[in-house]
Amino acid sequence: MEKDVIIIGAGLAGLTAARVLKASGKSVLVIEASDAVGGRIRTDNVEGFLLDRGFQVLLTAYPEAKRFLDYNALEICRFNAGALILNESGISKIGDPLRQPGMLINTLFSPAGTFADKLRMLRLKLKLTRKTIEEIFLEKEITTIDYLKKEGFSEIMMSQFFKPFMTGIFLENQLSTSSRMFEFVFKMFSEGDAAIPAKGMGMIPLQLAEGLSADEIVFNEKVELIDGGTVITFSKSIYRAKYILIATNPAQMPAPYGKQIVKSHHSVTNMYFKADKKPFIAPLIALNTLSGKLVNNVAVMNQISSDYSGNGQALISVSLIGNHSKANETQLQEKVIAEIRFWFPEAINWTHLKTYHINYALPNDDQVTNEPGHKSQRLNDQCFVCGDYLMNGSIDAAMKSGRLAAEVIISAAG
C-alpha cells in the first residue's frame, strides 16, 4: 500500500521527521535495518545492567530536545557541572561555582588551571550567554584549539581540562572541530545540564517512536535500492511512496545515492565494567589528563541513575577515542585496567561486561552549520535526506534535521 512518505532509518532524525509528518496528516512508513529504533542511540540490558551503546549524554538546553521530548516522562537524571581531573598528582575537582556554590573552593584551588583561567572561564560563560545560537553559527570558523588559545587559556588549563573534556565530546583529540561547535556545546552546558534518562539513553528514541503504530514501522529490513518512489530491500520486499526520506548516516545510504554524500567521521570504543564498590561517588565525569593515554573519560553510570544497575553493583563506563576493534580484546581490557588503577587501585577487581566498538559515532565537525538549507536536504523531486551530518554532530542537529526535512516534504506536497 502506497504511503505519503517512506522514511529509511529509525534514528533520532527519522523518528522526529515521522512525528512531524504524522502531525501534518501524512501517512508514513519507517523502514529500519536493525531490530529496534534508536540508530546510534540504543541501550542494552546485559546481566541486569543498562548499557548505552557508547557513553552519551543529553544536554537539556538543546532547543529541539526541549521542543520534542518530555523530560519528566524520561525521568531525567543530571550530572553535576564540572569534572574530576585525573593527573599525575592524583584526583581533583573542578566545577561551576555559579551553579554550585559549594564547588567554589575546589574549583579555585584545582590544579586544572590558574586563577586567571577560572576568570577567563567565567568571562566565556557570560559571553556565550549573551550570544544567540544563530549568532554562533554565523561566526567565522577556526579550530577549537585555536579558539581556546585566542581566549587566552593557559597550557595547563588546556591539558588538564579542555583537551580531555572536549575530546570526549568531539571524539577527536586534536580539537580541530569547528569553533562554532565549541561555542554551541559550551553554551548548552552552561545553560542546562548533561543528563541521562533514568532507564538509559535508548528511552529517547523510544519516546519519539511512541506515536508510530505497528503497521507504520518495519524492522530487520535493510534497503538496497531506491528507484523513484519505489524502495527495494535486500529481502526483495517492495514498498512505494510519493516521497522518500533517507535518514541514515552517509555510509549506510542505499543505492543509487550511496556515493553522493561523502562525510568523514569519528569512532569511539566504549567499555563497561561492574564492581562491588563505586570508584568515586561524585556525580561527575572523570577526565584522564595524561599524555599518551588510552582511556579518555570514566563515568559511574548508576551514580547518576540507580536504574542502570539492577543489583546495586557499580556500573563503570570507560571511553577510548578511536576504533580499537582490531585490538586483542583481553589485552585491551588489561591495558585499560592498568591505566585506571593508578587512580583507582581496586580496578584490578573490576569485571568486564561488554565492549562496543562504534565505527561511525559522530560526523566530522571541522565545518558545521545549524541550517542545512533546502538544497542539501533534497536529492531530487521525490527523495530527501536528513541527519546530523548535514549540520553538526549532536542530538539537537539530528532532531532538527529531521524536523526541517519533514517541513520541506510537507511544503513540496502542498
Side-chain angles (χ1 to χ4, degrees):
M1 187 168 64
E2 184 174 288
K3 297 280 188 179
D4 290 324
V5 186
I6 287 175
I7 300 167
I8 302 170
L12 297 191
L15 293 173
T16 304
R19 175 176 283 202
V20 174
L21 288 163
K22 281 198 67 177
S24 75
K26 304 298 180 187
S27 59
V28 301
L29 177 67
V30 180
I31 303 176
E32 168 56 39
S34 72
D35 60 354
V37 300
R40 283 173 281 152
I41 299 184
R42 297 274 299 269
T43 301
D44 299 322
N45 191 314
V46 177
E47 297 181 24
F49 294 93
L50 299 179
L51 310 186
D52 296 329
R53 296 187 183 182
F55 175 70
Q56 304 172 67
V57 296
L58 170 68
L59 301 186
T60 60
Y62 279 151
E64 298 295 318
K66 291 194 290 186
R67 181 174 187 155
F68 288 104
L69 299 177
D70 180 344
Y71 289 173
N72 289 330
L74 289 173
E75 298 177 83
I76 288 295
C77 302
R78 293 164 169 82
F79 288 82
N80 281 358
L84 288 181
I85 306 299
L86 311 180
N87 60 25
E88 298 94 335
S89 303
I91 304 173
S92 62
K93 290 182 184 178
I94 187 169
D96 184 347
L98 293 180
R99 297 170 65 179
Q100 294 172 301
M103 288 290 286
L104 177 61
I105 301 301
N106 279 325
T107 300
L108 287 177
F109 289 96
S110 167
T114 65
F115 181 72
D117 283 322
K118 315 297 170 56
L119 294 179
R120 291 186 189 99
M121 185 86 84
L122 177 60
R123 183 185 67 191
L124 179 60
K125 274 178 61 83
L126 294 174
K127 180 177 87 168
L128 295 179
T129 298
R130 294 190 294 266
K131 207 169 184 179
T132 67
I133 293 173
E134 290 73 24
E135 288 170 339
I136 285 173
F137 283 96
L138 289 174
E139 288 284 357
K140 180 183 177 182
E141 291 182 281
I142 58 176
T143 64
T144 292
I145 194 76
D146 286 342
Y147 177 92
L148 292 170
K149 289 177 180 176
K150 191 175 175 183
E151 289 291 319
F153 289 105
S154 70
E155 183 53 42
I156 189 169
M157 189 69 174
M158 301 278 270
S159 64
Q160 296 291 296
F161 177 71
F162 279 117
K163 284 182 180 178
F165 186 67
M166 300 316 298
T167 291
I169 295 166
F170 297 154
L171 304 185
E172 54 92 7
N173 55 24
Q174 301 301 309
L175 299 196
S176 62
T177 294
S178 169
S179 52
R180 291 178 180 174
M181 195 62 188
F182 171 80
E183 284 200 335
F184 173 60
V185 168
F186 205 77
K187 179 180 176 68
M188 294 296 98
F189 270 106
S190 297
E191 296 180 359
D193 297 296
I196 52 175
K199 294 179 174 58
M201 289 292 288
M203 296 305 294
I204 295 173
L206 285 174
Q207 187 181 94
L208 287 173
E210 282 175 354
L212 291 172
S213 61
D215 64 346
E216 291 176 320
I217 187 162
V218 176
F219 293 112
N220 299 306
E221 283 278 21
K222 184 173 175 60
V223 174
E224 179 180 19
L225 175 68
I226 299 171
D227 183 8
T230 301
V231 169
I232 303 171
T233 69
F234 277 89
S235 69
K236 303 308 175 187
S237 297
I238 297 173
Y239 304 91
R240 293 184 176 86
K242 297 170 186 173
Y243 300 100
I244 311 296
L245 175 59
I246 305 173
T248 69
N249 69 54
Q252 296 175 318
M253 289 185 73
Y257 304 110
K259 295 181 180 178
Q260 285 194 20
I261 299 177
V262 179
K263 179 94 174 179
S264 59
H265 59 270
H266 300 307
S267 306
V268 70
T269 290
N270 181 214
M271 200 173 281
Y272 284 99
F273 298 90
K274 63 179 179 179
D276 291 332
K277 181 183 176 183
K278 295 173 182 176
F280 56 89
I281 59 172
L284 295 167
I285 299 167
L287 305 175
N288 183 355
T289 67
L290 300 185
S291 60
K293 64 191 175 185
L294 181 62
V295 173
N296 187 76
N297 49 279
V298 181
V300 182
M301 301 307 295
N302 62 316
Q303 184 62 34
I304 312 303
S305 167
S306 59
D307 289 331
Y308 268 69
S309 172
N311 62 9
Q313 281 186 296
L315 175 63
I316 303 148
S317 170
V318 178
S319 295
L320 291 65
I321 305 306
N323 190 335
H324 298 265
S325 59
K326 294 183 179 179
N328 177 280
E329 287 289 336
T330 302
Q331 291 177 358
L332 187 64
Q333 292 167 32
E334 290 173 349
K335 289 178 180 177
V336 165
I337 293 298
E339 194 169 279
I340 290 175
R341 64 185 294 195
F342 176 78
W343 301 284
F344 310 114
E346 65 276 13
I348 194 72
N349 298 315
W350 293 357
T351 301
H352 176 257
L353 278 169
K354 191 176 178 69
T355 296
Y356 294 96
H357 298 288
I358 303 161
N359 182 42
Y360 191 106
L362 279 179
N364 181 302
D365 279 337
D366 287 359
Q367 284 86 42
V368 296
T369 181
N370 202 39
E371 297 291 339
H374 290 188
K375 287 186 178 179
S376 66
Q377 292 197 283
R378 188 167 192 163
L379 299 179
N380 56 46
D381 288 345
Q382 282 186 286
C383 193
F384 300 77
V385 292
C386 63
D388 62 350
Y389 65 91
L390 296 171
M391 298 165 58
N392 59 80
S394 68
I395 287 173
D396 189 73
M399 296 176 71
K400 184 173 182 177
S401 72
R403 172 176 65 82
L404 293 177
E407 290 171 355
V408 172
I409 292 171
I410 292 165
S411 177

